[in-house]
Structures are given as structure tokens and as C-alpha cells.
Amino acid sequence: MKNNVIDNSIDIFVQKLPSRIRLFWLCQLSGWAVYALLTEIMIKLSSNEPWRIHLPHLVLDTLCGITITLALRWLYRQASTSQQYVVVKHVMLILVAALVWTQFKWYTLQALYGSWWVPMTWFDFGTWTSASLTMLATWTGGYYGIKNYLTSVEERERADKALHLANEAQLKMLRYQLNPHFMFNSINATCTLILKNEKSHAISMLEQLCDFLRYSLYTDPLSTIRVAEEIEILNNYLDIEKGRFQSRLQINIQASPDCHNVLIPSLIVQPLVENVLKHGMIPEQPITINVDFVTHNKGLLVTVRDNGKGFPSEDVVASSQRDSGIGLSNCEQRLKLIYQGHASLETGNNAEGGAWVKIWIPVTVGASHEAN
């Protein structure tokens, strides 16, 4: 797994490297083309230099600037390897580069006029060197500005990808959790049926348990399914529980026709029903669970009601009930991760006794698909 992570990191780096190189050359050539154009318009055309002089000089000046900035780019990388005196190193490199560029521009201009050695005046030296410094400082600022921006974008993309992978991993963990009490009680109930010689009933219960476990383990935890499919899975789970509780468990599942094709996270309702059977049952008394699926307020409203013990009190629901592992906290975390705060989960007690849990999610209609 570690090697796969390293390989993926290398692939991302290799994929981004050519694009950064292309962007550098695009900015480099475009910037120097603008420099040449502005120099021609603002300096060369207003001077008395003949075309045979100022055009070759403009080309040589621009090519020298490109060469010097390429050298500066390499030198900047070398200077940045050590964190000591980084600013001083950059200033010195710009000063030296400006002096070299100034001398090159001066002596190539004199050479084009046929004079190989004409010393610069202090005025020319100051004017030309200031122009070179300004240009190279501007190039340096643009280079580091774009470089830092691209680095921050890539870091943000890596952070977003890491967060997405973490959310996926958390969703899978939540989705794959199976209540050990459910497993133990189901197997124990099957053993009891076998001891009572109710072998056909035991075999049926085992088949239902295998179907439920197969779906739980082999269905993509990040997928969404239609309400009709969720009801089918829920019925499969409840058939197993009916084998344990017999006539003590009454189930009513209703869904309005317009919500059968609405997409919801797979196995999002089952933990709510399981939470009732684990925490809400009154000993030796039957329990009735009603599950309703209806469209409401541009979304899907799922309500699970029971006539059991109810929540101890509204202010302790989070501590007493949601710490049940695969119960309310599981559903709440999955909804938060999948819908990013656009879904809700509410709880309360019925006036006539028992508890209710309501889930509201945005409506998405269609075939089963992977959740984003």
C-alpha cells in the first residue's frame, strides 16, 4: 500500500511537470515579446537609429535578456537550496545580471555602429543599468509570483484529494460496520431453531442472513441506490430479526410512489431500525416499527417511528444513543460526509410513547450510482 501511494505521488508529479514547463515557456516568450515591442515603440522608433542598427540590436538585446533570465532561473534554484542569505543572494544575482546585460547592450550597439570600444558615460551607465535592474526585478517578481501561486494550487489540490480520500475511507468504515450483537443474536436464534428441529426455518434464516451479509460486504459503500432497493434490503434484514422476535415484532414500511426512484445512500435506514431493536424495546412487550418514505420540501423524508421506550430525554440523546456505534451517530456522520451539510437527521419522542427519527436528504432521481 505504501508503494502504491509513492507511485501515485510520482505519477501526479510527472503529470504536472510538463504543464509547468509549458507555462514557463509561454510566459517567458510572451513576456519578452512584449518587452521587445514596447522597447521598439517607446525607445527605438523615437530615436534617430537607422533600421539596420536598431532592429538587430533589439533582437540581440531580447535574446540576451532571455538567456540571462534562464541563467537566473537556474541560479535561483541553486541559491534556494540553502536557507541562509537567500534574499542577499537574489539581490546580488540581479545586480550582477543587470551589469552584464547593460554591458552587452552597450557594446553590441557600438559594434553595430562599427566602434568596438567606446566607454560609457556615467549618465548612460546609470540610465541603462537602472532599466536593466527594473526589467530583471520585474521578471524575478513575476517568476516567483507565478511559481508560488502554482505551488499553492498544487498543495491545495493535494490537500483536497487527501481530504476526499479520507472521507471515502471514513464512509467505507462506517458503511462496513456490522453490529456484533446482531450477528451473535442471529446465529444464536438459528441454533435455537435447529435445536427445536425447525430446520426449514433455520435454513431460511441462514439464507436471509447470508444474503444480507453478501450485500453489506460486496456493495460499494460509496454508492447510492433507489428507495425501492433500500426497502428490499430493509425487508431482508427485518425477516432475519422476525426469526428472533417472532410475533413480538411488527413492521410497517410505506413509500409514496413518487419516491421509489429517489437515490439514497445504501443501508442508511437499517441502522436506525437496528437502533430501535437494540435500545428501544421494552422487555416482554411487542414493538411496532413504522418506516415511511415520502418526498418533502424538495427532498426525501424518511421517518422511523416505534412504540418502545423512547429516548431518555432530548438533551442526552447524543450521549446515550448516538454512541451506539452503528446507530444514530453512524447515519449522521455518513449524511454529513456525503451531503456536506445539506442533509439532516432529527430525533424525538412520540406523545403517545416511543421515539422517532427523521432523515431529510436532497432529491436525486435515477439509477444507482456512486456517491460523490
Side-chain angles (χ1 to χ4, degrees):
M1 183 175 181
K2 184 177 180 181
N3 291 335
N4 291 336
V5 173
I6 296 174
D7 292 341
N8 291 337
S9 301
I10 294 174
D11 291 341
I12 293 172
F13 176 78
V14 171
Q15 291 172 5
K16 290 187 175 295
L17 184 60
S19 62
R20 292 192 68 159
I21 292 176
R22 285 194 298 268
L23 180 60
F24 169 79
W25 279 107
L26 176 63
C27 294
Q28 176 81 336
L29 297 178
S30 300
W32 283 107
V34 172
Y35 166 81
L37 180 62
L38 293 177
T39 302
E40 175 68 18
I41 295 173
M42 300 176 64
I43 298 176
K44 297 297 185 179
L45 291 180
S46 60
S47 66
N48 295 322
E49 291 180 356
W51 287 91
R52 65 180 182 84
I53 298 295
H54 86 246
L55 281 180
H57 185 255
L58 179 63
V59 172
L60 292 173
D61 176 19
T62 305
L63 290 176
C64 183
I66 293 175
T67 304
I68 286 177
T69 50
L70 289 177
L72 281 177
R73 179 171 175 251
W74 183 82
L75 292 170
Y76 286 163
R77 291 179 176 179
Q78 303 304 311
S80 299
T81 56
S82 174
Q83 298 301 318
Q84 294 182 339
Y85 310 110
V86 175
V87 176
V88 175
K89 291 176 183 177
H90 281 67
V91 171
M92 294 299 298
L93 288 172
I94 293 175
L95 288 174
V96 172
L99 292 174
V100 172
W101 193 17
T102 298
Q103 296 302 312
F104 178 85
K105 288 189 288 186
W106 175 260
Y107 287 113
T108 51
L109 180 62
Q110 301 309 314
L112 290 171
Y113 274 111
S115 302
W116 289 98
W117 182 257
V118 177
M120 298 181 72
T121 64
W122 284 108
F123 176 79
D124 289 336
F125 176 80
T127 303
W128 287 41
T129 303
S130 297
S132 300
L133 276 172
T134 301
M135 183 60 194
L136 292 178
T138 302
W139 183 92
T140 301
Y143 170 73
Y144 275 107
I146 295 174
K147 181 180 179 180
N148 291 336
Y149 171 75
L150 292 176
T151 301
S152 66
V153 168
E154 291 178 1
E155 289 178 351
R156 187 162 59 248
E157 288 178 353
R158 285 195 292 267
D160 290 342
K161 184 174 182 180
L163 179 61
H164 178 70
L165 292 175
N167 287 341
E168 282 192 357
Q170 187 174 0
L171 277 172
K172 289 181 179 180
M173 177 192 69
L174 292 171
R175 170 63 171 71
Y176 279 137
Q177 287 179 359
L178 290 173
N179 193 330
H181 293 285
F182 162 68
M183 292 291 297
F184 173 79
N185 291 330
S186 298
I187 295 173
N188 188 53
T190 304
C191 293
T192 301
L193 292 172
I194 294 173
L195 291 175
K196 291 181 178 180
N197 289 322
E198 298 182 20
K199 296 182 180 179
S200 59
H201 192 181
I203 292 173
S204 176
M205 189 171 179
L206 280 176
E207 289 176 347
Q208 292 166 346
L209 180 60
C210 289
D211 289 340
F212 181 76
L213 293 178
R214 185 182 299 109
Y215 182 88
S216 299
L217 296 175
Y218 295 107
T219 302
D220 185 359
L222 305 179
S223 67
T224 55
I225 61 175
R226 296 183 299 113
V227 168
E229 296 176 63
E230 179 75 2
I231 292 175
E232 183 179 351
I233 299 163
L234 185 59
N235 278 323
N236 177 249
Y237 165 76
L238 290 171
D239 286 341
I240 299 171
E241 294 291 26
K242 286 178 182 178
R244 291 174 50 206
F245 295 103
Q246 302 295 330
S247 60
R248 290 181 57 205
L249 178 59
Q250 299 295 324
I251 301 293
N252 298 310
I253 301 178
Q254 295 183 352
S256 58
D258 58 344
C259 68
H260 282 182
N261 290 324
V262 174
L263 298 177
I264 61 174
S266 61
L267 281 177
I268 195 69
V269 182
Q270 180 267 334
L272 303 180
V273 176
E274 183 178 356
N275 196 73
V276 175
L277 298 177
K278 183 178 178 183
H279 298 283
M281 293 193 69
I282 300 174
E284 307 303 326
Q285 291 188 19
I287 188 166
T288 300
I289 301 176
N290 297 301
V291 183
D292 298 315
F293 297 83
V294 295
T295 53
H296 173 73
N297 194 23
K298 298 182 180 180
L300 175 70
L301 180 64
V302 183
T303 305
V304 179
R305 298 180 184 273
D306 65 80
N307 62 344
K309 294 187 296 185
F311 294 119
S313 64
E314 293 295 332
D315 58 342
V316 295
V317 167
S319 61
S320 66
Q321 297 289 338
R322 298 190 185 185
D323 289 340
S324 57
I326 200 167
L328 298 178
S329 62
N330 185 305
C331 294
E332 193 171 36
Q333 290 179 59
R334 287 185 66 195
L335 291 173
K336 187 181 298 182
L337 289 169
I338 294 172
Y339 296 102
Q340 300 297 310
H342 296 293
S344 63
L345 185 149
E346 299 177 352
T347 61
N349 287 325
N350 301 313
E352 64 277 11
W356 57 263
V357 179
K358 294 182 179 180
I359 292 177
W360 183 90
I361 63 175
V363 165
T364 305
V365 180
S368 303
H369 69 288
E370 287 190 358
N372 294 326

